[in-house]
Amino acid sequence: MGSWCSAAFVRWALSVAVLSVFAACADPGPAPCNVDAGAPAPTAADVCGHLRSINCPVVDCEAAYAGWQRSMDIASFTRTTGCYRNARTCSEVDACNRACSTR
């Protein structure tokens, strides 16, 4: 009975290991758009000040803000800049670009 238990345990451990590998490689899904629903677009000063405060500077941020406003539809612009304002890290800022814009 000892060898049967050992073989069953080995099969179980291998199946768990294989499933763990597949779970680790699975697509994590889309990043969430971290923005307060219905909130107006934050100002350039709010967004740029926040990005600087989390050490995620954007070169000539105020001009970049104006460019974002011209290049996005108003809903995407509002969601994306709101997400920038709520981001806690530069990685989250990058995720905002993918998660909030429809362009």
Side-chain angles (χ1 to χ4, degrees):
M1 179 151 156
S3 65
W4 179 84
C5 279
S6 296
F9 177 77
V10 169
R11 281 194 302 272
W12 174 82
L14 286 173
S15 64
V16 168
V18 169
L19 290 175
S20 296
V21 168
F22 285 120
C25 295
D27 184 9
C33 183
N34 182 15
V35 64
D36 304 322
T43 66
D46 286 340
V47 171
C48 295
H50 178 68
L51 293 176
R52 288 180 191 109
S53 76
I54 63 170
N55 200 26
C56 192
V58 173
V59 175
D60 199 7
C61 187
E62 286 73 10
Y65 179 96
W68 303 329
Q69 195 168 24
R70 286 189 305 272
S71 69
M72 293 182 195
D73 62 83
I74 190 66
S76 292
F77 174 76
T78 300
R79 284 190 309 271
T80 302
T81 55
C83 187
Y84 290 167
R85 176 64 186 93
N86 292 335
R88 296 169 299 200
T89 65
C90 289
S91 296
E92 287 182 15
V93 170
D94 185 50
C96 292
N97 294 325
R98 293 185 304 279
C100 301
S101 178
T102 56
R103 57 179 177 135

